[in-house]
Each structure stands twice: as C-alpha cells, then as structure tokens.
Amino acid sequence: MANVETSLKETMASIEGSVAAALVDYTSGMALGTIGGGKDFDVNVAAAGNTDVIRAKARTMEMLGLKDDIEDVLITLGGQYHLIRLIKGRGINGLFLYLVLDKRNANLAMARHQLKRIEAELEL
C-alpha cells in the first residue's frame, strides 16, 4: 500500500507523458495532494474544476435512472488528455485521481491500466 504522496510520485514516474496528477475530494473540490503542473498549468484549479465534471455526470446518471458506477472520465484536448478515475471500494467515496497527459508522449491505454493499478495500491 502507498500513501498519497508516494502514489502521485509513482503516477508521474511510471506513466509516460504525465504532466500533472492530483488526488481530489469531489465533495469539497479540494485537492488532497498534487504533483506537476507549473506556471502555465495550475493543478489545484484544474482539480477543483473537474469536480464539477464528476458531479454533473453523477446527476445525469441519477436523472436517467442508471444504476452503475463511473469508472473513469476522459477529456481530450488538442494537446492533452485529462483522465479522471474515481476511487472505489474500501469504504471510500468522493475521491478521484486526476491525471494530465501530453498527447504526443502518452499511451492512453497504458495510462488507464497504470492508473487503475495505482488506485488499487493507494492507502487512505
């Protein structure tokens, strides 16, 4: 099992094309940990903004009567992928891992696979 800081460092080191990562509480919009980013990309702002994405999707699923869980959400930009993976199980609700990838260097399938593994090893 890995703590938040270790998990975020592993995310950046093991997923090719990683630009930034965060563990986010989407009930409050607060990042519990961040790594990467820079002056041109504020990870905390992006993390908080993506809580709205998850909340909107959850409301839509409820209105549609869908009895399923969100596994992950992918947002594709011109030069980046933004991957949001909800953390499941272990009595944990309301958290997601957020990963920003440079499209030129990233393998999206491998990134999803690695993020799932990192989620499983995360200790909260």
Side-chain angles (χ1 to χ4, degrees):
M1 298 298 256
N3 68 22
V4 173
E5 182 181 351
T6 302
S7 293
L8 293 176
K9 285 179 180 177
E10 182 180 351
T11 299
M12 293 295 286
S14 67
I15 300 177
E16 190 171 344
S18 295
V19 173
L23 177 66
V24 185
D25 177 344
Y26 67 82
T27 58
S28 69
M30 293 188 61
L32 304 177
T34 64
I35 191 168
K39 67 179 181 86
D40 295 330
F41 188 84
D42 187 328
V43 183
N44 286 300
V45 171
N50 280 298
T51 62
D52 293 334
V53 172
I54 297 302
R55 290 176 190 158
K57 186 58 185 172
R59 278 192 309 271
T60 302
M61 289 174 61
E62 186 177 327
M63 289 187 295
L64 291 170
L66 297 176
K67 305 293 184 214
D68 210 344
D69 295 320
I70 300 169
E71 187 172 312
D72 58 33
V73 175
L74 171 65
I75 300 168
T76 304
L77 304 178
Q80 295 177 332
Y81 295 123
H82 291 230
L83 186 57
I84 302 166
R85 180 166 183 83
L86 274 70
I87 297 182
K88 301 288 183 212
R90 302 177 300 221
I92 300 167
N93 288 313
L95 299 179
F96 65 84
L97 282 166
Y98 172 57
L99 176 63
V100 179
L101 299 163
D102 182 329
K103 281 174 79 171
R104 295 169 295 180
N105 304 324
N107 178 323
L108 185 55
M110 285 302 297
R112 289 183 71 218
H113 177 73
Q114 287 289 86
L115 204 55
K116 184 177 181 178
R117 181 188 56 76
I118 290 165
E119 172 208 353
E121 295 174 359
L122 180 63
E123 183 179 290
L124 297 169

